[in-house]
Amino acid sequence: MFAEFFVRALVAGLGVALVSGPLGCFVIWRRMAYFGETMAHASLLGVSLGLLLDLPLPPTVFATAVLVALALLGLERLGGLSTDALLGILSHASLALGLVAAALVPNLRVDLMSFLFGDILAVTWFDVAVVFGGGLGALGVLALFWRQLLASTVSPEIASAEGMKPGIARLILVVLVAAVVAVSIKIVGVLLITAMLVIPAATARRVSPSPEVMAVASSLCGMAAVVAGLFASLNFDLPPGPAIVAAALLVFLASLAVPRRLIMGSR
């Protein structure tokens, strides 16, 4: 059958797609695509700090991403700058600081390119356990707060009137996105994780009659992209991370062929 490394890569990729699908829906609904990129750059900073300070990478990456997310929320409260301007500042600052920190690591023996573009074929069963442990935990929190997150996304004013707290919902969401980025960085890389959050969700949005269906469809689209991308990588000697994202793009383009009247008719 298939080599063990390929099986590990397939299982890990499916785990990333499973959890990034529903969260990607909120990224699409809240127009937070640039936030996902900011979290990815913050993750690279976390990798560099972990290497520099000799700390375990997954918790260091998660903590760094969460701190950057909290910095964004704090700066938004101060006012004066739009959210996209703040995201631009934090995104590029995180990337620059990450590269500076990496340059300070003595005798760096880690290939940072693997963190930029992912190295899914090199994942271990421990990496798979981290992906599924963190991913299932994130999905559990998402399911627990689904109604509150959805209501706050549709209308923060109505959610507040019903006794919900949109600010808390936003905090939960940014922490969940940070967690998913942290556990996914070794699989698809810093530069591609945003694509895995956005493209499957954008595909599912075109063909889904309800938010719940869209969340499931987004995961399925991501899983299809993982399977197609990995087999394309195996058969045509392509880099697996970019191949997965390219497959996700093809699935999205295929969804454009679905007649609009069929989509509207299902709603």
Side-chain angles (χ1 to χ4, degrees):
M1 293 296 289
F2 300 109
E4 184 178 352
F5 76 89
F6 186 82
V7 175
R8 290 196 301 265
L10 186 61
V11 174
L14 291 175
V16 171
L18 176 67
V19 67
S20 63
L23 278 176
C25 294
F26 283 99
V27 170
I28 290 291
W29 292 331
R30 287 177 173 256
R31 300 179 181 179
M32 293 172 59
Y34 201 13
F35 173 77
E37 183 175 347
T38 302
M39 289 296 95
H41 289 170
S43 295
L44 181 61
L45 173 59
V47 169
S48 299
L49 290 176
L51 295 174
L52 180 63
L53 303 175
D54 195 22
L55 298 173
L57 290 186
T60 305
V61 170
F62 173 68
T64 304
V66 169
L67 287 175
V68 172
L70 293 177
L72 171 64
L73 297 180
L75 291 171
E76 284 181 332
R77 287 181 176 273
L78 290 177
L81 287 174
S82 62
T83 298
D84 64 333
L86 294 174
L87 286 172
I89 293 171
L90 292 174
S91 176
H92 296 95
S94 297
L95 180 59
L97 291 174
L99 294 176
V100 168
L104 295 176
V105 178
N107 302 319
L108 180 62
R109 298 179 180 178
V110 177
D111 183 13
L112 287 180
M113 292 294 289
S114 66
F115 290 103
L116 288 174
F117 297 101
D119 194 6
I120 192 170
L121 297 180
V123 298
T124 64
W125 285 117
F126 176 77
D127 296 324
V128 173
V130 170
V131 168
F132 274 88
L136 292 177
L139 286 180
V141 175
L142 186 64
L144 182 63
F145 292 97
W146 176 265
R147 182 173 175 272
Q148 182 174 340
L149 288 169
L150 190 59
S152 299
T153 298
V154 174
S155 175
E157 293 77 14
I158 294 178
S160 297
E162 293 184 357
M164 300 179 183
K165 297 180 179 179
I168 298 297
R170 180 171 171 80
L171 176 61
I172 292 171
L173 182 60
V174 298
V175 170
L176 289 179
V177 173
V180 171
V181 170
V183 301
S184 304
I185 185 173
K186 189 174 181 179
I187 310 301
V188 292
V190 168
L191 300 181
L192 302 180
I193 182 57
T194 306
M196 287 301 293
L197 282 168
V198 173
I199 298 177
T203 304
R205 186 174 189 177
R206 284 191 49 81
V207 297
S208 301
S210 69
E212 291 76 15
V213 172
M214 179 176 165
V216 175
S218 181
S219 290
L220 293 177
C221 290
M223 289 178 176
V226 166
V227 173
L230 282 178
F231 275 97
S233 173
L234 181 67
N235 292 322
F236 301 106
D237 194 25
L238 302 173
I244 290 172
V245 177
L249 175 62
L250 290 177
V251 175
F252 172 73
L253 294 176
S255 74
L256 298 179
V258 178
R260 188 70 178 172
R261 56 185 176 82
L262 294 181
I263 301 172
M264 297 303 294
S266 65
R267 296 181 178 178

